């Protein structure tokens, strides 16, 4: 300031410009993350931004989970990313994104994150096995005889069978695996005839938490290693009897075939008689014709 005499003086002050306006936080309201082969997924904060802005400058994005069943601690403080785990597959997790401007002002918005697992499970079946038709097994407990599918390598056991076709270890239990959790569903189809010969089909299906499935098939072939034939029959010998005989002489007197059958055969025995009253050198003659059928053949 200067007066009429030319005297002047001055003063000064400090002017501070402040930005008190919060940035505008704009989020993707809905998003998805897919777990990788390790069973984890990482979501970075800036990937949730959908055009956030500020009157000056946005300098950082941070993110925090509202809940964290994985116990990573990502629900305790904001950070550059959050991680998701197998326990959250199929769940929608609430996540908060924080926007900070160059003056330290912050604003937040909320995102719904759907956690998915797009990796299909894997499965290895027990081997196909051939056993004889007289091999005993419990149809309600096939696991104990022909193996099963487990979910860890440590649980796998050898499959041991001793019969006509096998003598000891024939293979190993199957294995189901996944980047997360996996269960095994089993269905069985018995395609066997009345002689216990045929095939048992066992379908094992690995199912993960996402509901993704992968099946495999084990076949149990049941065969007759020694089919019934005439060598298994001892025919009755001819019989001479004194005096005249009555029609249809009982087999307790004349004998009947001795049959060496087994669980793999279904043998039926029958006979027909022909009586001759006038025969050279005999009073009567009875011709008995035996018929033996193995219905399994």
């Amino acid at each position: 300031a200067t007066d009429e005499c030319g005297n002047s003086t001055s003063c000064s002050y400090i002017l501070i410009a402040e930005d008190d306006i919060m940035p505008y936080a704009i989020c993707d309201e809905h998003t998805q993350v897919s777990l990788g082969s390790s069973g984890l997924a990482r979501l970075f904060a800036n990937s949730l931004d959908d055009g956030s802005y500020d009157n000056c400058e946005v300098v950082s994005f941070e993110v925090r989970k509202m809940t964290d069943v994985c116990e990573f601690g990502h629900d305790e403080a904001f950070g550059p990313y959050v991680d998701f785990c197998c326990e959250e597959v199929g769940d929608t997790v609430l996540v908060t994104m924080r926007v900070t401007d160059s003056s330290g002002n912050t604003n937040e918005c909320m995102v719904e994150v759907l956690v998915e697992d797009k990796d299909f499970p894997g499965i290895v079946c027990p081997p196909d096995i051939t056993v004889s038709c007289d091999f005993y097994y419990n149809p309600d407990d096939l696991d104990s005889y022909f193996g099963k599918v487990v979910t860890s390598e440590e649980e796998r056991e050898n499959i041991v069978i001793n019969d006509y076709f096998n003598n000891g270890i024939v293979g190993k239990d199957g294995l189901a695996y996944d980047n997360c959790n996996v269960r095994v569903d089993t269905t069985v189809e018995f395609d066997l005839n009345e002689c216990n010969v045929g095939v048992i089909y066992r379908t094992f299906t690995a199912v993960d938490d996402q509901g993704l499935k992968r099946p495999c098939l084990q076949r149990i072939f049941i065969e007759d290693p020694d089919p019934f034939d005439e060598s298994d029959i001892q025919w009755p010998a001819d019989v001479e009897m004194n005096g005249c005989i009555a029609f249809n002489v009982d087999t307790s007197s004349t004998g009947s075939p001795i049959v060496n059958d087994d669980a793999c055969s279904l043998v039926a025995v029958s006979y027909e008689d022909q009586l001759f009253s006038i025969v050279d050198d005999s009073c009567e003659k009875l011709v008995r014709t035996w018929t033996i059928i193995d219905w399994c053949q």
Side-chain angles (χ1 to χ4, degrees):
T2 303
D3 62 15
E4 293 179 355
C5 297
N7 300 310
S8 64
T9 185
S10 63
C11 65
S12 63
Y13 62 92
I14 298 175
L15 178 64
I16 299 176
E18 294 183 349
D19 176 14
D20 293 329
I21 300 176
M22 294 186 301
Y24 293 88
I26 304 175
C27 292
D28 284 327
E29 295 182 0
H30 308 281
T31 191
Q32 300 88 29
V33 293
S34 295
L35 303 183
S37 59
S38 63
L40 298 175
R42 176 161 290 182
L43 179 63
F44 287 90
N46 56 6
S47 64
L48 298 176
D49 177 47
D50 194 25
S52 301
Y53 63 94
D54 184 61
N55 59 331
C56 291
E57 180 186 8
V58 173
V59 295
S60 68
F61 296 94
E62 295 176 295
V63 69
R64 179 173 70 90
K65 297 168 72 173
M66 300 302 293
T67 58
D68 186 13
V69 298
C70 307
E71 299 183 353
F72 294 142
H74 290 168
D75 59 338
E76 300 173 359
F78 282 94
Y81 59 83
V82 288
D83 290 330
F84 300 86
C85 64
C86 293
E87 286 71 23
E88 296 171 305
V89 170
D91 294 340
T92 298
V93 181
L94 291 178
V95 170
T96 302
M97 184 188 75
R98 171 179 287 178
V99 181
T100 303
D101 66 13
S102 57
S103 297
N105 300 308
T106 63
N107 201 356
E108 299 173 357
C109 54
M110 194 74 68
V111 180
E112 292 183 345
V113 180
L114 176 61
V115 183
E116 298 178 319
D117 175 14
K118 295 184 178 180
D119 281 3
F120 277 80
I123 190 168
V124 177
C125 256
D128 290 346
I129 300 172
T130 299
V131 295
S132 59
C133 50
D134 59 356
F135 175 76
Y136 172 80
Y137 63 90
N138 182 349
D140 296 322
D141 183 24
L142 299 179
D143 287 359
S144 298
Y145 301 88
F146 305 120
K148 54 191 177 295
V149 175
V150 297
T151 56
S152 70
E153 185 65 39
E154 293 74 19
E155 296 178 275
R156 299 182 76 183
E157 298 178 339
N158 290 327
I159 304 170
V160 180
I161 295 178
N162 291 287
D163 71 340
Y164 181 89
F165 295 106
N166 308 281
N167 184 25
I169 297 174
V170 297
K172 202 170 186 177
D173 285 339
L175 178 66
Y177 53 92
D178 187 62
N179 58 336
C180 286
N181 305 307
V182 64
R183 76 173 192 271
V184 180
D185 295 338
T186 306
T187 59
V188 180
E189 178 186 352
F190 292 89
D191 186 13
L192 305 176
N193 61 22
E194 58 188 358
C195 305
N196 197 35
V197 173
V199 184
I200 301 175
Y201 298 95
R202 306 176 74 199
T203 301
F204 301 92
T205 304
V207 185
D208 66 12
D209 290 342
Q210 187 71 43
L212 300 177
K213 302 178 180 181
R214 192 179 299 276
C216 69
L217 177 67
Q218 180 198 31
R219 296 170 297 178
I220 311 300
F221 299 97
I222 301 180
E223 300 180 0
D224 185 355
D226 183 21
F228 181 84
D229 59 24
E230 192 167 357
S231 66
D232 296 308
I233 304 171
Q234 181 179 339
W235 298 104
D238 293 342
V239 177
E240 284 192 19
M241 306 179 72
N242 293 325
C244 294
I245 61 175
F247 187 69
N248 287 334
V249 174
D250 189 84
T251 57
S252 61
S253 301
T254 62
S256 58
I258 299 174
V259 176
N260 181 27
D261 58 352
D262 55 24
C264 307
S265 56
L266 191 61
V267 174
V269 180
S270 63
Y271 65 85
E272 292 184 357
D273 287 345
Q274 288 180 291
L275 181 63
F276 300 90
S277 298
I278 303 176
V279 184
D280 292 341
D281 301 327
S282 298
C283 175
E284 291 179 310
K285 183 176 182 179
L286 179 69
V287 177
R288 176 161 290 168
T289 302
W290 291 94
T291 300
I292 297 179
I293 299 176
D294 178 11
W295 290 107
C296 291
Q297 301 181 71

